[in-house]
């Protein structure tokens, strides 16, 4: 399934795998996100999911949510620290 945010999601997954490869994170600790353009008045971000090991993370695993934590795209739960990322982007 193709995503309109495929490039951004792929970059997040690549960054997470790199962090894991460098030993800067272990398992699913740490988070990577990117602010996405707003759509229909909704502020959006793509973020790593909760509980997914970063050394295996793929673009399809990355979750897109609005700033109210409503899922926009993805099957997994967003990071438990998503609200911290929202605060940074706000």
């Amino acid at each position: 399934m193709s995503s309109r945010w495929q490039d951004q999601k792929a970059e997040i997954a690549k960054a997470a795998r790199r962090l894991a490869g460098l030993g800067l994170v272990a398992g699913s600790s740490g988070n990577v996100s990117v602010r996405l353009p707003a759509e229909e008045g909704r502020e959006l971000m793509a973020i790593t999911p909760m509980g997914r090991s970063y050394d295996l993370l793929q673009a399809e695993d990355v979750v897109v949510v609005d700033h109210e934590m409503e899922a926009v795209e993805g099957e997994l739960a967003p990071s438990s620290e998503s609200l911290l990322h929202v605060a940074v982007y706000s």
Side-chain angles (χ1 to χ4, degrees), residues 1-9 59 64 73:
M1 175 188 213
S2 180
S3 165
R4 66 186 127 180
W5 303 290
Q6 186 65 29
D7 292 344
Q8 295 94 330
K9 290 171 69 171
V64 176
E73 182 177 288

Side-chain angles (χ1 to χ4, degrees), residues 8-9 12 32-36 44-47 85 89:
Q8 295 94 330
K9 290 171 69 171
I12 288 173
V32 181
S33 71
V34 65
R35 187 176 190 174
L36 298 170
L44 303 175
M45 74 173 169
I47 191 163
H85 290 250
Y89 294 137

Side-chain angles (χ1 to χ4, degrees), residues 16-17 19-21 23-32 47-57 61 76-82 85:
R17 289 191 308 269
L19 289 169
L24 298 174
V25 296
S28 64
S29 65
N31 300 287
V32 181
I47 191 163
T48 48
M50 187 181 332
R52 179 70 62 158
S53 182
Y54 289 175
D55 57 344
L56 303 174
L57 198 71
D61 300 324
L76 301 173
S79 165
S80 60
E81 296 184 358
S82 294
H85 290 250

